[in-house]
Amino acid sequence: MTILILSFVFLLLIGLPIALAMMGSAMLVIGLEGIPLSLVAQRVVTGVQSFPLLAIPLFTLAGSLMNDSGISERLFGFTRAFIGHIRGGIAHTVVVGEIFLSGISGSSVADCSALSRVFGSEFKRSGYDGGFGAALCAAAATLGPIIPPSTLMVIYAWQANISLGDLFWAGLLPGLLMAGGMMLVVGWVSHKRQFPKDAAFAWSRLASSFREAVWALFMPILILGGFRAGIFTATEIAAVAAFYSLIVGLFVYKTLKWTHVPTILLQTAKETAVILLIVAAASPFSWYIGIAQAPQMLTEALTQATDKPWVVLILLNFILLALGCFMETIAIMIILVPILIPVLTQYQIDLVHFGIVLLVNLTIGQIHPPVGILLFVAQSVTKVRFGQIAREVLPFVGVLLIVLIVLTYVPWVSLWLPHALK
């Protein structure tokens, strides 16, 4: 285990991609054990031979089609007509619009790109600080993996062998709580800096924007309603989302052209390959961790240290937050979840509840330097200096940490809806 960890860290430090670092360290220790390296190839193949993982490329495709078909712009137009008249209305629109957007794409990176593209120039024209606008787009995109459907939920449910449906429903209330916290920050900053208001509220404007956005607004209802009614399975939801985005873009809004589809498919293939390469490379890595009895050693160490589940949850939060600042989200899940499942079972911590705690931890890491992938996405689209974005995002990180504490120690917030719908 020592050689595995040290070689993994060394390969990361010399600049290898995380997938190759996991693969290289796993091959090293498996070779040293005298196990045939053909096992590595077998584990790589079996690591991605899972039907639930089919949802990953489909959700990625749905997000790309949604961005190109104009669905996101119409969602934001309706939200702005509804809430834009209050101070800092455009900023509030980002958060409320992301609630709807999260129910479609399932990807924080896709959402951050859409938010930054739609609102980046609008913030500057309306007199907002460029750094604040970009930071808000990154922070709001953290709702993407929490409000269902979600690519990260697919991976966690597959690893933990729990109901993906339960995990989907468990994310709704936490996602709304996160959105509420971010809106409090937006309201405070808007009044402090005297950000402008939009035009006065008008029913005619709201009705007009609703007619424009009705097909986009129907999409989350179709996805979650169809799932609740048992029409779609959790994996089929991703295919429904992609197909609906394609039909709406081509034949309803007519903003998506057939000539765009090959480019979208190619981009989807690239993004999916990155995710599944990490999943595949992590399979032999996780296998060796398992045979080295790391889960049992961790469980024994924690059992000797404390018998209180709340202490274990605090320790896990610290570990996940620290790792989230330096490592890629999916890699953390692939490596840690198989180790943590026996620990959670030992302390009778609900796996659905912990799944939401895990995802919120990891999404906070996506907006926290030095990695902060969403900060880099927002920077690349808005062209605002990274230092400005990193400074402006800190209040959002603070409020999300408060929400994380609530979700960790009030399991009801995550578990009430899944239990109520059974």
Side-chain angles (χ1 to χ4, degrees):
M1 278 298 298
T2 303
I3 295 174
L4 179 73
I5 294 170
L6 290 178
S7 60
F8 175 62
V9 172
F10 172 75
L11 292 175
L12 285 179
L13 290 176
I14 64 174
L16 249 63
I18 195 161
L20 297 182
M22 285 191 291
M23 181 77 73
S25 56
M27 291 179 67
L28 174 63
V29 293
I30 288 173
L32 290 175
E33 291 281 359
I35 302 172
L37 289 180
S38 59
L39 175 75
V40 175
Q42 294 171 3
R43 298 306 307 178
V44 165
V45 173
T46 57
V48 291
Q49 281 185 330
S50 175
F51 180 70
L53 293 181
L54 182 61
I56 294 175
L58 291 172
F59 276 135
T60 305
L61 177 60
S64 299
L65 290 169
M66 175 197 66
N67 287 337
D68 278 66
S69 62
I71 288 177
S72 54
E73 285 85 350
R74 286 165 172 82
L75 282 173
F76 296 137
F78 169 72
T79 308
R80 187 170 181 178
F82 181 70
I83 203 174
H85 60 282
I86 66 175
R87 186 167 299 283
I90 301 177
H92 285 293
T93 297
V94 171
V95 181
V96 177
E98 174 59 19
I99 294 174
F100 292 107
L101 198 61
S102 298
I104 299 173
S105 72
S107 166
S108 57
V109 173
D111 288 2
C112 184
S113 177
L115 291 168
S116 302
R117 189 185 70 249
V118 173
F119 290 100
S121 57
E122 187 65 33
F123 276 126
K124 294 177 183 177
R125 283 197 302 268
S126 301
Y128 287 74
D129 298 332
F132 174 79
L136 174 59
C137 291
T142 60
L143 297 177
I146 309 301
I147 295 179
S150 162
T151 301
L152 294 183
M153 285 183 178
V154 172
I155 294 174
Y156 176 79
W158 163 66
Q159 286 186 292
N161 196 27
I162 60 173
S163 166
L164 181 56
D166 286 350
L167 199 59
F168 275 179
W169 294 118
L172 277 176
L173 290 182
L176 294 176
L177 187 61
M178 292 167 65
M182 285 187 277
M183 290 185 73
L184 288 176
V185 173
V186 168
W188 172 68
V189 174
S190 298
H191 281 84
K192 182 179 178 182
R193 302 183 188 179
Q194 288 298 294
F195 287 154
K197 302 178 183 180
D198 263 4
F201 177 82
W203 284 106
S204 58
R205 183 186 175 202
L206 182 64
S208 174
S209 62
F210 177 77
R211 285 192 298 270
E212 282 286 315
V214 66
W215 287 93
L217 291 169
F218 182 69
M219 191 171 177
I221 298 172
L222 171 68
I223 292 172
L224 293 180
F227 177 69
R228 177 71 184 94
I231 301 172
F232 315 126
T233 66
T235 304
E236 289 167 349
I237 286 175
V240 171
F243 182 72
Y244 187 88
S245 299
L246 180 66
I247 296 301
V248 170
L250 287 173
F251 303 113
V252 180
Y253 294 147
K254 299 181 180 179
T255 50
L256 183 65
K257 306 299 180 185
W258 283 111
T259 53
H260 299 168
V261 174
T263 303
I264 292 172
L265 291 175
L266 180 61
Q267 184 61 32
T268 299
K270 290 178 179 178
E271 294 176 8
T272 302
V274 171
I275 296 173
L276 292 183
L277 181 61
I278 295 173
V279 173
S283 183
F285 190 92
S286 301
W287 176 83
Y288 187 81
I289 287 176
I291 67 165
Q293 297 188 324
Q296 293 85 342
M297 289 188 289
L298 179 60
T299 302
E300 184 179 342
L302 287 173
T303 304
Q304 292 176 353
T306 180
D307 60 352
K308 297 177 175 60
W310 68 269
V311 176
V312 173
L313 285 171
I314 260 192
L315 292 173
L316 293 180
N317 275 334
F318 277 121
I319 292 170
L320 291 169
L321 286 170
L323 290 175
C325 293
F326 299 98
M327 285 181 64
E328 202 275 337
T329 300
I330 295 175
I332 295 173
M333 291 182 63
I334 295 294
I335 294 171
L336 283 188
V337 171
I339 299 176
L340 295 178
I341 294 300
V343 176
L344 301 171
T345 304
Q346 174 75 22
Y347 284 90
Q348 298 182 332
I349 296 170
D350 189 281
L351 295 183
V352 173
H353 167 228
F354 181 75
I356 300 301
V357 173
L358 169 71
L359 292 180
V360 174
N361 267 294
L362 297 182
T363 55
I364 292 173
Q366 288 185 317
I367 60 170
H368 195 291
V371 175
I373 181 64
L374 297 182
L375 303 183
F376 287 102
V377 172
Q379 180 200 27
S380 68
V381 176
T382 62
K383 309 304 180 186
V384 177
R385 286 193 301 111
F386 184 82
Q388 285 182 271
I389 303 175
R391 183 172 62 252
E392 295 281 8
V393 84
L394 292 179
F396 295 105
V397 173
V399 77
L400 290 177
L401 288 173
I402 294 172
V403 172
L404 174 63
I405 294 171
V406 173
L407 295 177
T408 301
Y409 294 110
V410 187
W412 172 89
V413 180
S414 302
L415 298 179
W416 175 78
L417 198 52
H419 291 168
L421 291 174
K422 284 186 176 179

